[in-house]
Amino acid sequence: MSAPAINNICFVANFNKTEFFDRIAVRLRNKGCEIFWITVNRRLHDFLRARYPEKQILLINKTYIERPAEAIEDFKLQGLVFGDRVLRHMQTEGIKYLTNIQRPLYDFIATNHIGHIFGEITWAHEILALRLANRRKELRCRYLNPATIRIPNGRFAFFADEYQSVMVEKPEDKSDSAASSVIKLEKPDYLKLNDHLLKKSRSLGARVAKTKRFFTRENIDSLDPTLIDSDWLRLRIRLREEWNKETYRFVKTCTLDKFADKPYTLVTLHKQPEASIDVLGRYYDDQFQNIFNIRRFLPADWAVLVKEHTNAIGDRACGFYRNLQKIPGIFILNERTDSHEAIRRSSLVVTVSGTVAYEAALLEKTAFTLVPTFFNRLPFCLHVTWEDFRRAGSVRELIDRAKEGDENFARYLLQNSFAGIISDPISNPACMKEENITKVSEAFFEITGNKRRNYRVIFAEAGVSV
């Protein structure tokens, strides 16, 4: 297959990240690249139209539900609808929407000879665009997801699959001094930033402002498939979240002191809905069932400590935790417990796709992920499935297998990642600084092949099937 058109680049607009992507796009345009956009929101469309020619912007909003078009192929749309936090509430219309936007997407890519698409993997239309670009070889287009590598802070990579398990690899560069460095355990910056945003959102002023926006329908585009248009549904969801937050205080939690001399498995919950569980964790997105399966696989004298994500308080009702506690050997760990200390004392860590497994492996504590991740290359970090649980004679068998891994992981990771922050001006304002925009823009320019033509994608052992 011949190389894609390296100078024609498309970005997928996504709320606040659009402004960040636009800053990158301007730099690339100044280097001679032709810039295109895909958006589902009228306000973002108007924002982009003031900066780019109309013909270089594709608006695919809910009007396509009523614009029948033949599907290009089976992209497993039902799974995309189930995993989308908005389309799951309108499944019939969601299937129509994803079916009918396939041809416009295809034609937009083909007609404009787009070689690379950069976007998130959060919404169904983003994943559909990824599958379309990466499956239809005649398009000669790649969809890449630029995202943080979590640890170390301040670095990111380009992922070629929808599970963030496949990194685009750079050509070997023996002069890269960073490639021989060691990865030191540190807590990801985004956790602290998210905690700060969460604290602000719970203030009285923030709640009043949120209530005002609800009644004024501020920023609600009724044709945007990533926004819930029904006032009644929005109200139900908001009231449920507030109720769950207020009643979480009644959940009985424990501390690590109770398990000073007892083996335990640490299981960390994901915020949900969230791409880390609904997309990366597809088919493992029922967190209650996950914990139940883990509990019945472990020895009877092992405890399972379930730790809630501080940003996720409000996602689950009290009944979720109470039902878990009815299962012998399962305890709810206080959410403020230091995660690194909980990892150090554990016998095993299990997560769907969480950073906690990465942290555990850096501490040389055994961790299982239920889906493939890029850090499964590390020793002590094993991707397992329920079939592995079924076949293994004991947990010790899998723990022994987890010790195998790439001793040169640090070199591999730093060699194939870039310095820079991928975020948006609300989540992390530092991403908009000129220094960061320069670094990130150079990385985008390089990864498209404008500076190097011999990039290659190495796929994870588990594959990237959807």
Side-chain angles (χ1 to χ4, degrees):
M1 185 181 70
S2 57
I6 60 176
N7 287 321
N8 291 6
I9 296 171
C10 181
F11 289 88
V12 183
N14 189 337
F15 294 110
N16 297 319
K17 188 163 281 187
T18 304
E19 185 179 350
F20 173 72
F21 277 161
D22 176 53
R23 293 282 297 277
I24 304 301
V26 168
R27 295 292 186 94
L28 295 178
R29 185 170 59 185
N30 292 340
K31 289 177 176 288
C33 298
E34 198 72 28
I35 304 299
F36 299 84
W37 288 88
I38 296 170
T39 182
V40 297
N41 182 278
R42 173 59 67 178
R43 182 177 61 84
L44 291 179
H45 173 270
D46 294 343
F47 168 83
L48 295 168
R49 191 172 58 180
R51 291 161 171 76
Y52 303 89
E54 177 76 30
K55 65 180 181 179
Q56 292 176 206
I57 306 170
L58 175 64
L59 175 63
I60 44 172
N61 58 18
K62 286 197 289 190
T63 59
Y64 279 88
I65 294 174
E66 304 302 330
R67 297 161 71 174
E70 186 176 350
I72 290 177
E73 67 171 88
D74 178 14
F75 290 108
K76 298 170 73 172
L77 302 185
Q78 193 69 61
L80 294 184
V81 169
F82 284 159
D84 189 283
R85 66 190 73 173
V86 173
L87 296 186
R88 67 179 59 167
H89 299 294
M90 42 179 287
Q91 294 185 21
T92 300
E93 294 84 354
I95 292 293
K96 289 181 180 179
Y97 170 73
L98 294 177
T99 299
N100 296 342
I101 65 172
Q102 290 179 34
R103 177 53 61 182
L105 279 170
Y106 184 99
D107 291 344
F108 187 71
I109 296 169
T111 301
N112 295 301
H113 306 290
I114 294 170
H116 292 85
I117 302 174
F118 294 103
E120 295 290 288
I121 49 171
T122 300
W123 303 101
H125 70 274
E126 294 170 332
I127 303 170
L128 175 62
L130 179 149
R131 293 181 181 181
L132 176 67
N134 293 352
R135 283 190 190 180
R136 303 300 296 197
K137 303 302 182 184
E138 71 274 16
L139 289 174
R140 295 185 295 168
C141 179
R142 301 187 185 102
Y143 188 112
L144 299 180
N145 169 224
T148 174
I149 60 171
R150 313 188 201 186
I151 303 171
N153 287 308
R155 294 189 72 84
F156 72 97
F158 294 91
F159 293 91
D161 69 328
E162 63 194 71
Y163 305 112
Q164 292 185 346
S165 66
V166 180
M167 293 172 57
V168 177
E169 295 190 345
K170 298 181 189 178
E172 185 73 15
D173 185 356
K174 293 183 173 60
S175 66
D176 187 353
S177 60
S180 60
S181 300
V182 174
I183 298 176
K184 296 181 180 179
L185 179 64
E186 57 184 340
K187 294 190 177 182
D189 284 341
Y190 66 82
L191 293 178
K192 186 183 297 184
L193 291 166
N194 286 344
D195 283 342
H196 176 68
L197 290 173
L198 179 67
K199 186 176 181 179
K200 286 181 61 177
S201 70
R202 289 178 176 172
S203 68
L204 177 61
R207 290 189 174 189
V208 170
K210 190 182 296 183
T211 302
K212 178 183 176 182
R213 288 195 300 271
F214 176 86
F215 287 108
T216 61
R217 292 179 61 84
E218 182 180 338
N219 298 328
I220 293 295
D221 176 355
S222 61
L223 295 178
D224 185 337
T226 66
L227 294 173
I228 295 175
D229 180 46
S230 167
D231 289 340
W232 171 238
L233 181 56
R234 288 168 57 223
L235 180 61
R236 282 173 51 202
I237 292 173
R238 183 65 61 201
L239 289 176
R240 183 172 66 240
E241 288 176 353
E242 292 299 322
W243 175 256
N244 290 345
K245 288 176 184 177
E246 293 301 323
T247 56
Y248 180 79
R249 71 186 72 176
F250 301 113
V251 175
K252 183 180 179 181
T253 63
C254 63
T255 65
L256 291 175
D257 293 339
K258 183 176 180 178
F259 304 92
D261 300 313
K262 299 178 182 178
Y264 69 80
T265 292
L266 175 66
V267 179
T268 55
L269 293 170
H270 287 263
K271 180 171 176 58
Q272 196 170 16
E274 187 69 31
S276 63
I277 182 73
D278 297 315
V279 179
L280 276 63
R282 188 176 298 116
Y283 304 118
Y284 292 88
D285 50 0
D286 185 337
Q287 298 191 71
F288 187 95
Q289 186 64 46
N290 291 345
I291 297 167
F292 178 73
N293 287 343
I294 293 165
R295 169 62 273 179
R296 62 181 179 176
F297 173 67
L298 295 173
D301 60 342
W302 283 35
V304 174
L305 304 192
V306 178
K307 185 176 181 292
E308 181 57 280
H309 196 302
T310 52
N311 291 340
I313 295 174
D315 292 353
R316 287 167 273 269
C318 281
F320 174 89
Y321 310 100
R322 289 172 181 163
N323 287 333
L324 279 176
Q325 291 170 320
K326 291 177 182 178
I327 303 172
I330 294 182
F331 303 86
I332 307 300
L333 186 63
N334 188 280
E335 71 280 0
R336 293 296 174 184
T337 301
D338 182 80
S339 59
H340 287 180
E341 185 62 24
I343 292 169
R344 288 187 179 94
R345 296 193 193 185
S346 71
S347 301
L348 175 66
V349 173
V350 184
T351 179
V352 176
S353 65
T355 305
V356 66
Y358 191 177
E359 295 171 318
L362 291 176
L363 287 169
E364 297 189 352
K365 301 292 291 188
T366 302
F368 296 161
T369 67
L370 300 181
V371 297
T373 68
F374 71 90
F375 45 85
N376 285 132
R377 295 175 67 110
L378 267 170
F380 299 98
C381 189
L382 181 67
H383 166 225
V384 300
T385 67
W386 299 140
E387 188 63 18
D388 291 316
F389 277 29
R390 192 179 71 84
R391 291 183 176 181
S394 69
V395 67
R396 180 55 56 187
E397 182 179 324
L398 295 182
I399 288 176
D400 290 342
R401 195 196 308 174
K403 295 176 182 177
E404 303 170 4
D406 183 359
E407 297 291 345
N408 296 314
F409 173 79
R411 184 178 188 280
Y412 168 84
L413 182 65
L414 297 174
Q415 167 67 27
N416 296 302
S417 60
F418 299 83
I421 301 169
I422 299 291
S423 189
D424 64 74
I426 302 300
S427 300
N428 187 353
C431 75
M432 303 298 286
K433 292 182 178 180
E434 284 300 311
E435 180 183 2
N436 187 63
I437 295 297
T438 298
K439 289 179 182 177
V440 175
S441 301
E442 286 297 322
F444 275 67
F445 191 65
E446 182 177 326
I447 208 72
T448 57
N450 280 285
K451 293 176 70 173
R452 294 171 174 169
R453 301 299 180 90
N454 57 337
Y455 274 88
R456 60 196 177 97
V457 175
I458 304 298
F459 290 90
E461 289 183 3
V464 293
S465 60
V466 297

